[in-house]
Amino acid sequence: MQSVYQQRRQTLMSRLGKGTAIFASAPLAVMHNDVEYNFRQDSDFYYLTGFDEPGAVAVFAPHHEEHRFVLFVRPKDKDKEIWSGRRLGVDAAKEVLGADAVFPLSELDEKLPEYLKGGDRLYYHFGHDEALNDKLLKHWRRLLASYVKRGTGPVAIEDGKLLLQTQRRVKGPEEIELMRKAIAVSVKAHNYAREIAQPGRYEYEIQAEMEHLFKLAGGDPAYPSIVASGDNACILHYVENNRQMQAGDLLLIDAGGCIDYYNADITRTFPVSGKFSDEQRILYELVLEAQLKAIAEVKPGNPFNAFHDAAVRTITAGLVELGLLVGDIDTLIEEKKHKAFFMHGTGHFLGLDVHDTGVLRNPDKTWKPFEVGNVVTVEPGIYVTPDYEPVEGQPQVDDRWRGIGIRIEDDVLVTDTGCEVLTAGVPKSVADMES
């Protein structure tokens, strides 16, 4: 993989010109007292370095005569490593990670001006590390104050994350392969969940069985698993997962695995008792129709909003036909009346982050087109909350619809000829959901 990271760094530096870019590792986060959460590296930092330790800073200075890629890392420390794990250290980091120079993190303040002064701007994202934010601002201000004497130095600061928006949006072959691995175990987990779900079991039992499969594959949950039965499915980010499932419930499961930092994101909704009620089936078929029409819009050259527009139109028209909305379809869409039942977007980019990076619009506010190598989720839904109150001009909802929440989500790769549904291994037809 080091050749892959090297190519990513070269692509980044080709866009820097004479600028200097700085990316920091993620900080450690305290769970309680002196116990920390499991460390999860910053996605941009990992994308460029493959380095999975806290306490590190990467500097990219293409204008520097010798050191274009510089790392500052934690030095080896036998006592601390006994408590908190092995460190790569300064010497090994240069060889293993392919940096031109590696220094102890403690020397960042001393050596940073050398890599800033030759650049014409600084690229950095001001994140949660206030000490590093202050340090970089201090050096930038000093160099700016002396600019009139030297004629060189960074005269502007730009957000470093924006540099990688376009680059990370298109997935390379190695990224797609890792996502296929994460998706494969996620498909297995969803299919197993459908086998074991039944009235009387608790939501957390299903969660445990699915996340057990993620762990057995060498992975982790990509995000907090949503296992929502009954009207819990109307809560978009329901994570309590503590209800006992009842006969007649739908079970909405939004869960995915993560392998080597790459994520899957799948949602299925099915009847716990094995059969949809009439109302559940009607709304399920409407969501499925919307999803299939949305997936058909995921292809090279199509604007990013096309798949959402297709889903919104299908769901709005269906809700009008059912009498849950009244009015002209175009007007309802323009006034966003569908948001009473379908309140989220149809999808997002997927990759190193579950909601992955990627600029969606051009400067003129037009939508950017899909490109080969994009991976997106396609996840329309309908949610009729138990306490639904109609907005002005819309009808009241009969009790038979209340408490039904349905979402269907697949991960879709944009290809040369259209798209590939990477998560097709999880069935979604009515017949399959009732099998």
Side-chain angles (χ1 to χ4, degrees):
M1 279 290 288
Q2 273 308 313
S3 61
V4 173
Y5 297 122
Q6 183 181 24
Q7 180 57 54
R8 292 172 183 173
R9 293 192 292 266
Q10 289 174 348
T11 300
L12 169 68
M13 287 192 277
S14 71
R15 301 178 61 212
L16 285 178
K18 290 187 176 181
T20 304
I22 296 175
F23 292 88
S25 64
L28 292 169
V30 175
M31 184 176 185
H32 51 77
N33 202 0
D34 58 352
V35 177
E36 294 159 345
Y37 285 100
N38 288 339
F39 178 70
R40 203 281 185 186
Q41 187 58 280
D42 175 82
S43 295
D44 285 338
F45 185 89
Y46 190 80
Y47 178 82
L48 293 167
T49 67
F51 189 40
D52 197 18
E53 288 186 22
V57 174
V59 179
F60 301 93
H63 50 79
H64 196 276
E65 292 182 1
E66 298 180 76
H67 303 158
R68 302 177 76 236
F69 168 40
V70 183
L71 275 172
F72 294 85
V73 304
R74 301 177 304 174
K76 297 289 288 182
D77 187 315
K78 185 175 180 180
D79 290 338
K80 290 183 179 178
E81 288 180 59
I82 288 174
W83 286 96
S84 56
R86 297 180 180 89
R87 299 178 178 185
L88 187 58
V90 174
D91 295 334
K94 183 173 182 179
E95 178 181 353
V96 173
L97 302 176
D100 298 317
V102 181
F103 303 104
L105 184 63
S106 59
E107 296 182 15
L108 177 65
D109 209 29
E110 172 193 347
K111 297 190 178 298
L112 192 56
E114 177 184 349
Y115 302 109
L116 292 177
K117 66 184 181 183
D120 59 4
R121 64 188 54 234
L122 168 63
Y123 293 92
Y124 173 72
H125 177 75
F126 286 88
H128 299 298
D129 190 337
E130 296 295 338
L132 183 58
N133 295 346
D134 293 343
K135 187 173 294 186
L136 289 173
L137 280 173
K138 176 189 71 176
H139 287 297
W140 176 71
R141 286 168 178 154
R142 285 178 179 174
L143 290 169
L144 189 63
S146 62
Y147 181 86
V148 292
K149 295 180 180 178
R150 294 180 294 100
T152 62
V155 296
I157 300 176
E158 294 190 27
D159 194 321
K161 279 190 174 294
L162 296 181
L163 280 171
L164 291 180
Q165 291 274 345
T166 301
Q167 190 171 334
R168 279 182 52 192
R169 175 175 154 147
V170 177
K171 304 299 182 283
E174 69 290 335
E175 294 182 281
I176 294 171
E177 181 60 29
L178 285 171
M179 294 179 74
R180 288 187 188 277
K181 289 181 179 179
I183 286 167
V185 66
S186 303
V187 165
K188 183 178 180 180
H190 273 269
N191 289 338
Y192 185 56
R194 203 170 68 258
E195 290 180 20
I196 63 174
Q198 58 183 298
R201 299 199 74 171
Y202 284 86
E203 295 164 343
Y204 56 72
E205 294 181 67
I206 310 303
Q207 175 186 4
E209 295 286 2
M210 296 182 75
E211 294 182 0
H212 179 221
L213 292 175
F214 300 158
K215 281 291 188 183
L216 285 177
D220 286 294
Y223 50 92
S225 299
I226 298 169
V227 184
S229 62
D231 59 23
N232 289 336
C234 296
I235 303 170
L236 300 184
H237 290 165
Y238 171 79
V239 293
E240 286 78 6
N241 300 345
N242 57 11
R243 180 178 177 272
Q244 187 178 38
M245 293 177 281
Q246 306 297 317
D249 283 348
L250 291 181
L251 180 62
L252 185 157
I253 302 176
D254 186 340
C258 173
I259 301 290
D260 292 338
Y261 278 85
Y262 283 85
N263 302 288
D265 189 359
I266 307 173
T267 306
R268 289 293 186 269
T269 310
F270 57 90
V272 171
S273 301
K275 292 292 181 181
F276 289 102
S277 71
D278 290 343
E279 290 76 18
Q280 290 169 350
R281 181 182 293 104
I282 289 167
L283 292 184
Y284 184 90
E285 289 177 335
L286 178 53
V287 173
L288 181 57
E289 179 189 0
Q291 200 222 19
L292 294 175
K293 287 184 177 179
I295 289 172
E297 297 296 329
V298 179
K299 52 189 174 183
N302 251 24
F304 185 84
N305 64 312
F307 74 137
H308 178 64
D309 290 350
V312 167
R313 179 163 292 277
T314 303
I315 286 175
T316 304
L319 292 173
V320 169
E321 186 175 345
L322 294 172
L324 298 179
L325 289 176
V326 296
D328 174 71
I329 293 171
D330 289 330
T331 302
L332 291 170
I333 293 172
E334 183 180 351
E335 295 177 353
K336 302 187 186 302
K337 291 294 197 303
H338 63 278
K339 281 183 170 283
F341 302 98
F342 175 29
M343 60 286 295
H344 57 78
T346 299
H348 52 79
F349 289 119
L350 181 69
L352 269 172
D353 293 304
V354 175
H355 287 243
D356 209 32
T357 188
V359 176
L360 302 182
R361 292 181 186 259
N362 297 303
D364 64 0
K365 298 185 179 181
T366 58
W367 291 91
K368 285 185 175 294
F370 283 117
E371 301 173 78
V372 175
N374 291 164
V375 180
V376 293
T377 66
V378 183
E379 50 178 311
I382 293 176
Y383 316 88
V384 188
T385 59
D387 57 351
Y388 174 80
E389 290 294 336
V391 296
E392 184 178 356
Q394 293 301 312
Q396 188 53 267
V397 169
D398 192 272
D399 287 346
R400 64 196 178 101
W401 301 105
R402 293 176 181 270
I404 299 177
I406 296 166
R407 183 164 64 253
I408 307 171
E409 177 181 23
D410 282 296
D411 304 338
V412 181
L413 169 67
V414 181
T415 65
D416 291 322
T417 56
C419 69
E420 176 189 353
V421 180
L422 300 173
T423 48
V426 189
K428 58 187 176 185
S429 70
V430 168
D432 285 321
M433 293 298 96
E434 291 186 334
S435 65

